[in-house]
Amino acid sequence: METEKKKLFSAVQPSGAVTIGNYIGAIRNFVGLQGEYDCIYAVADLHAITVKQEPAALRRNTLELMALFIACGIDPEKCVLFVQSHVPAHCELTWVLNTITYPGELSRMTQFKDKSAKHADNVNMGLMDYPVLMVSDILLYQAALVPIGADQKQHLELTRDLAVRFNNRYGQTFTVPEPFIPAGSGARVMSLADPSKKMSKSDENPNGFITMSDDKDTIVRKCKRAVTDSGSEVRAAADKPGVTNLMTIYGAFTGKSFEETEREFAGKGYGDFKLAVGEAVADALAPIQAEKARLLKDKAYLDGVMKRGEESARRIAARTLSKVYRKVGFYRGE
Ligand code: TRP
């Protein structure tokens, strides 16, 4: 796969349910980028263990996320799709980059502070080093572009800082990546229970999020219970965050603009609208869920995809790592 296309890297952690927020904000965009860029997508299991994981669940979630990626339209023939722990270079580069990273840079990270507060009983070195592992993911593949959500922006800043720092110290080695927000992906999906918060699978209230595997009844119920605002008009506005969020979700699954949705529901109440949102989401997810279920029954196929992804990823990563090892002065034979 030696082309002139720019390289693009992204990853998702296999840490449980994937919400429609993850789908709209990340996975769905990954699909559209496959033609234009050399895309490399990983299941970030090394990142996942920075918080406690049940081993059997982690194993299952890795397979499920792989199946979901493919069911959503990521084509393993068009991109490199692999599991992070299958490529040892991620850990190897992390070690080297740790030696040019300062503890203060990591302890200042917003996500580290948030996660430390949330998992106060398990503030481990991996949690602190998480950003350096992410830096390694990106730099190993010489990615020029990294599609990320707002919560990962600081980590991408660190990626750029470390790439420049290493290049300055040892000579040109790494591509300095840019964050990448694909056109039309601005939609941020908020919690159905509290539209001032981002939709998150770690919300204590399961009515706040819809997962990619929720069935139709569950989706419709969650939409019906979604917090809406005073008044009864279906209209996007700053003082109507609940309705606006539902309109965002509706638009993401039907392609309808706010104006079209406003026209469609003119004179109708929230009840009709919420039902329509639930049905639109459920109808859009149904084929993805069916395809994912089919793939999960074909383990040999999924294992084969992972194996081929691993081989391609190893090949690209080995090139960068060997350059790094030479530059830092590790003896490689005469
Ligand atoms: N940390 C990212 C997240 O939780 C996942 C991730 C791991 C990632 N490595 C990456 C994203 C490299 C982009 C690039 O969302």
Side-chain angles (χ1 to χ4, degrees):
M1 211 173 66
E2 214 62 41
T3 58
E4 292 306 308
K5 288 182 195 165
K6 280 192 176 172
K7 289 212 171 68
L8 180 146
F9 184 96
S10 201
V12 176
Q13 294 188 59
S15 42
V18 175
T19 71
I20 57 167
N22 305 129
Y23 175 67
I24 296 168
I27 300 176
R28 190 171 67 162
N29 300 317
F30 293 177
V31 178
L33 297 166
Q34 294 177 112
E36 208 170 329
Y37 304 99
D38 266 348
C39 295
I40 302 155
Y41 297 127
V43 174
D45 56 349
L46 296 171
H47 277 104
I49 62 164
T50 57
V51 301
K52 261 182 213 130
Q53 301 288 336
E54 172 62 44
L58 178 59
R59 220 170 275 130
R60 180 73 200 166
N61 288 335
T62 297
L63 200 64
E64 293 234 0
L65 183 54
M66 195 46 103
L68 180 65
F69 272 151
I70 301 170
C72 288
I74 292 178
D75 181 351
E77 305 298 325
K78 286 201 201 137
C79 58
V80 177
L81 180 59
F82 73 106
V83 177
Q84 190 187 28
S85 69
H86 296 178
V87 180
H90 293 252
C91 295
E92 295 169 309
L93 183 58
T94 299
W95 177 252
V96 174
L97 294 180
N98 272 336
T99 66
I100 62 162
T101 307
Y102 309 113
E105 290 178 291
L106 299 179
S107 58
R108 270 200 301 276
M109 290 282 172
T110 311
Q111 192 172 78
F112 173 67
K113 288 194 263 182
D114 290 350
K115 287 195 181 175
S116 300
K118 198 160 160 217
H119 305 277
D121 59 333
N122 185 28
V123 182
N124 60 81
M125 289 302 296
L127 192 61
M128 190 164 163
D129 208 27
Y130 172 118
V132 182
L133 177 60
M134 184 163 154
V135 170
S136 301
D137 294 344
I138 297 164
L139 297 186
L140 265 181
Y141 300 94
Q142 306 287 353
L145 299 169
V146 184
I148 42 155
D151 60 330
Q152 300 297 320
K153 254 178 119 171
Q154 269 192 331
H155 297 162
L156 199 76
E157 279 307 312
L158 179 72
T159 308
R160 294 169 54 84
D161 289 348
L162 292 186
V164 170
R165 197 175 299 165
F166 190 96
N167 288 347
N168 285 341
R169 191 173 302 182
Y170 295 107
Q172 180 57 38
T173 307
F174 295 123
T175 304
V176 182
E178 304 280 343
F180 184 62
I181 322 256
S185 73
R188 214 159 105 87
V189 179
M190 311 307 281
S191 162
L192 299 178
D194 175 359
S196 69
K197 289 194 319 199
K198 193 180 142 186
M199 181 180 282
S200 163
K201 62 190 165 198
S202 45
D203 198 328
E204 329 69 74
N205 182 354
N207 288 321
F209 57 87
I210 296 172
T211 82
M212 292 299 287
S213 36
D214 281 348
D215 62 23
K216 186 162 187 168
D217 286 351
T218 308
I219 296 171
V220 169
R221 179 171 42 78
K222 286 180 177 178
C223 286
K224 279 193 185 152
R225 288 205 190 150
V227 170
T228 36
D229 317 284
S230 54
S232 61
E233 238 182 315
V234 177
R235 183 169 52 83
D239 63 345
K240 284 176 161 278
V243 173
T244 305
N245 185 41
L246 287 171
M247 289 174 74
T248 298
I249 295 171
Y250 190 63
F253 286 101
T254 60
K256 288 178 187 161
S257 67
F258 282 172
E259 295 76 49
E260 286 172 292
T261 303
E262 284 170 10
R263 246 178 283 127
E264 184 179 354
F265 293 95
K268 295 183 191 156
Y270 289 158
D272 288 340
F273 175 54
K274 286 173 163 184
L275 179 64
V277 176
E279 287 182 338
V281 174
D283 291 348
L285 295 191
I288 297 175
Q289 292 173 346
E291 178 62 1
K292 181 179 164 217
R294 189 189 69 77
L295 289 163
L296 282 170
K297 284 196 204 114
D298 194 352
K299 292 251 176 53
Y301 170 74
L302 288 176
D303 287 350
V305 166
M306 283 189 243
K307 188 78 211 151
R308 273 177 285 138
E310 173 189 332
E311 280 161 10
S312 304
R314 277 183 185 246
R315 206 172 318 118
I316 307 169
R319 223 176 296 146
T320 302
L321 190 71
S322 117
K323 208 163 158 191
V324 167
Y325 275 13
R326 255 186 292 115
K327 299 241 171 172
V328 301
F330 293 158
Y331 183 73
R332 315 302 285 158
E334 293 300 339

